[in-house]
Amino acid sequence: MKKVILYGSKDKNSPWLEGFQSHPDGSLEFDMSGVNVFEMEKEDQEITWLNLFYSKLNELCKPKEILESQFEDDDPLSIYYKYVDRLWDRLKQYCHLKSQVEQDFFDLYCQLCLHHTGEDAFLPALIPHVYVNWSFSKQKRSMNEEPYVVDFIFKSPAFESNNLDYS
């Protein structure tokens, strides 16, 4: 069963459901407004910068840029390295506007990733403004826990940071 992480609302207090579509295999696809949605195949899946980048690729690059990048370079990561700054800029917008500490922390992590021996695409992503324990049904939420928003999440089995209850 796929898991979903909701993140990044700049001006809304909570995500809202606009509709859903059921598939022949029994899975449901939700249409959410006010947030970004990241789908994971497994609950303990690490979320790298590359995973996050490709989940937002169509919003970060025009289709023409994607095609041109594929023909310009044989390196499969060339489009990532060319446009990852757009991802980081967009994610930084989700940090609390009045918290310089949040913004500085996010900048520092991105800078450290950038200076990591050219393998930053495979490092764990730092995702700002994440909705935790957010489900449309109280029965699906953890016992006695209401939904809340955390400043950041970082999912990596290497750091045992995969214990996140999300819908």
Side-chain angles (χ1 to χ4, degrees):
M1 182 174 155
K2 287 185 180 181
K3 293 289 185 174
V4 175
I5 291 181
L6 307 175
Y7 71 96
S9 173
K10 291 189 295 186
D11 53 0
K12 307 286 186 240
N13 291 327
S14 61
W16 63 93
L17 179 66
E18 286 194 347
F20 66 92
Q21 181 179 26
S22 60
H23 298 284
D25 66 359
S27 64
L28 293 174
E29 187 175 316
F30 293 99
D31 234 354
M32 303 295 296
S33 289
V35 293
N36 296 288
V37 177
F38 182 82
E39 290 187 7
M40 300 185 328
E41 293 294 327
K42 301 181 306 184
E43 188 167 338
D44 61 349
Q45 176 183 340
E46 178 175 49
I47 303 173
T48 64
W49 287 117
L50 189 62
N51 299 138
L52 204 56
F53 178 79
Y54 279 120
S55 77
K56 305 303 287 175
L57 184 62
N58 291 331
E59 294 176 27
L60 297 169
C61 310
K62 296 175 183 165
K64 184 179 177 185
E65 291 175 308
I66 296 168
L67 286 172
E68 287 173 358
S69 180
Q70 290 174 344
F71 292 116
E72 287 175 4
D73 198 342
D74 291 334
D75 181 3
L77 295 177
S78 63
I79 194 163
Y80 168 82
Y81 289 117
K82 190 171 182 180
Y83 298 111
V84 69
D85 289 342
R86 290 183 187 178
L87 173 67
W88 290 345
D89 289 344
R90 174 156 310 164
L91 291 174
K92 185 176 177 180
Q93 293 174 5
Y94 303 136
C95 294
H96 196 284
L97 295 176
K98 294 182 181 178
S99 176
Q100 191 61 46
V101 172
E102 272 186 44
Q103 294 172 34
D104 290 347
F105 181 76
F106 185 77
D107 281 342
L108 177 62
Y109 186 76
C110 291
Q111 288 172 15
L112 290 172
C113 287
L114 182 64
H115 296 298
H116 185 276
T117 67
E119 297 178 10
D120 55 287
F122 304 103
L123 293 174
L126 186 65
I127 305 172
H129 200 94
V130 178
Y131 293 84
V132 177
N133 209 33
W134 203 269
S135 179
F136 305 108
S137 163
K138 284 194 176 194
Q139 291 81 15
K140 288 187 177 182
R141 292 185 193 149
S142 295
M143 294 286 284
N144 301 322
E145 279 203 50
E146 290 297 316
Y148 59 96
V149 178
V150 294
D151 294 336
F152 299 101
I153 66 160
F154 175 92
K155 281 186 60 63
S156 173
F159 296 97
E160 297 180 11
S161 62
N162 276 318
N163 298 331
L164 182 63
D165 191 7
Y166 45 89
S167 56

